[in-house]
Amino acid sequence: MDAHMQAAIEEAQLGLQEGGIPIGSVIVHKGRVIGRGHNRRIQQGSAILHGEMDALEKAGRQPAAVYRESVLYTTLSPCSMCTGAILLYGIPKVIVGENQTFMGEEDLLRSRGVEVEVLQDSTCIEMMRDFIAKRPELWNEDIGEVAPCEH
Amino acid sequence: MDAHMQAAIEEAQLGLQEGGIPIGSVIVHKGRVIGRGHNRRIQQGSAILHGEMDALEKAGRQPAAVYRESVLYTTLSPCSMCTGAILLYGIPKVIVGENQTFMGEEDLLRSRGVEVEVLQDSTCIEMMRDFIAKRPELWNEDIGEVAPCEH
């Protein structure tokens, strides 16, 4: 297991321990972690702090040149919001833990020249599969999906 | 002037008074403002709180059905991050103050079925034109652009 993906998984597990949605992310610049974070929808009542967004926020204000030499690791395929943030900052490479429980905007990333590598890591898959089975209403809220009861 | 765009402009002006980047946004559900905000890069050292993101965060956790009946107002054409957030939550309509100083991802929004209306409002244009002229380095940072000195 890549040490940076392991750190993203640890972030996701930390989020789960806090009662949150288990998605974690780290941003690595030239081999050094500059930001790490996890989904904080439940912990902070946040509509925007997905794992990747939290890692970007924790990295703080960075010059454009830093993002353009960075790699973003995320335990789950990035949704359109996180994809848009990756594109805004020109992050050239994204390592994805898995896209079996949720397929994000990988095609859009690739169409804009971002390198996307998907590991299909079993720990990531099980973590999300378990969470979605237990808390489907929270998961639907996090990805803007209308749950059956809202129809 | 539409009262909601006026509220977005007031948010932008508030940001400017705080020493920040003058971009504001409001989210309106069935005629009622549920969130309003402005860019907080400088005020909070934030890499993710663009005006639209701040308005989404201020609106708090909402059911998917609410976003899908909402209109987002923003003083400036939405960048890829804010565009991604609009797509994530399925906000069907975006009213943009102007796209002359910065052209965001309006084509992507329209290609996904979002209605985008651009007002080319002179107050919005002058506000951003002045800011970009005075603080080009901050503006470049906000949109992930490599400034000449970073090359």
Side-chain angles (χ1 to χ4, degrees):
Chain A
M1 166 64 66
D2 178 294
H4 297 310
M5 182 54 73
Q6 188 56 47
I9 293 171
E10 286 166 12
E11 283 290 328
Q13 291 168 333
L14 182 58
L16 193 63
Q17 287 163 22
E18 294 167 352
I21 302 174
I23 304 169
S25 176
V26 302
I27 302 170
V28 178
H29 178 244
K30 293 187 173 178
R32 189 173 70 84
V33 174
I34 59 169
R36 52 188 293 164
H38 55 267
N39 188 300
R40 295 182 191 271
R41 172 172 299 272
I42 297 163
Q43 298 93 316
Q44 295 189 20
S46 175
I48 64 170
L49 286 173
H50 278 189
E52 301 91 320
M53 303 297 287
D54 190 43
L56 276 166
E57 190 68 331
K58 292 294 191 300
R61 289 170 56 186
Q62 296 287 342
V66 168
Y67 295 114
R68 294 185 185 197
E69 296 170 327
S70 292
V71 179
L72 184 144
Y73 291 75
T74 174
T75 55
L76 183 64
S77 187
C79 80
S80 52
M81 173 173 66
C82 299
T83 291
I86 291 161
L87 295 176
L88 171 65
Y89 287 121
I91 295 172
K93 186 169 180 176
V94 178
I95 314 277
V96 173
E98 62 106 354
N99 64 11
Q100 306 233 317
T101 64
F102 175 77
M103 175 55 85
E105 296 267 10
E106 295 173 15
D107 286 348
L108 179 57
L109 285 169
R110 290 195 180 98
S111 76
R112 302 287 181 97
V114 178
E115 186 183 343
V116 180
E117 190 181 330
V118 183
L119 305 182
Q120 303 300 17
D121 175 80
S122 59
T123 303
C124 294
I125 295 169
E126 281 166 33
M127 195 162 53
M128 277 310 293
R129 194 167 281 159
D130 284 358
F131 183 82
I132 294 169
K134 284 179 187 155
R135 304 300 302 273
E137 78 293 355
L138 284 174
W139 178 235
N140 281 324
E141 182 190 312
D142 203 51
I143 53 172
E145 282 294 325
V146 177
C149 58
E150 288 184 63
H151 278 300
Chain B
M1 166 64 66
D2 177 294
H4 296 312
M5 183 54 72
Q6 188 56 48
I9 292 172
E10 287 166 12
E11 284 288 330
Q13 291 168 333
L14 183 57
L16 193 61
Q17 287 163 23
E18 295 167 351
I21 302 173
I23 305 169
S25 177
V26 303
I27 301 170
V28 178
H29 179 244
K30 293 186 172 178
R32 190 172 70 85
V33 174
I34 59 169
R36 53 188 291 165
H38 54 267
N39 187 300
R40 295 182 191 269
R41 173 172 297 274
I42 297 163
Q43 299 93 316
Q44 295 188 21
S46 175
I48 65 170
L49 286 173
H50 279 190
E52 301 92 320
M53 303 297 288
D54 191 43
L56 276 166
E57 190 67 331
K58 292 294 191 300
R61 290 171 53 186
Q62 298 287 342
V66 169
Y67 296 114
R68 293 184 187 199
E69 296 171 326
S70 292
V71 180
L72 183 142
Y73 291 75
T74 175
T75 56
L76 183 64
S77 186
C79 80
S80 52
M81 174 173 65
C82 299
T83 292
I86 291 162
L87 294 177
L88 171 66
Y89 287 121
I91 296 173
K93 187 170 180 176
V94 178
I95 315 277
V96 174
E98 62 108 353
N99 64 12
Q100 306 232 317
T101 65
F102 174 77
M103 175 55 85
E105 296 267 9
E106 295 173 15
D107 286 348
L108 179 59
L109 285 170
R110 290 194 180 98
S111 76
R112 302 286 181 97
V114 178
E115 186 184 345
V116 181
E117 191 181 329
V118 183
L119 306 181
Q120 304 299 18
D121 175 79
S122 58
T123 303
C124 294
I125 295 170
E126 282 166 33
M127 194 161 54
M128 276 312 291
R129 195 167 279 161
D130 284 356
F131 183 82
I132 293 169
K134 283 179 187 152
R135 305 299 304 274
E137 78 292 355
L138 283 174
W139 177 236
N140 281 324
E141 183 190 313
D142 203 50
I143 54 172
E145 280 295 325
V146 177
C149 60
E150 286 185 64
H151 278 303

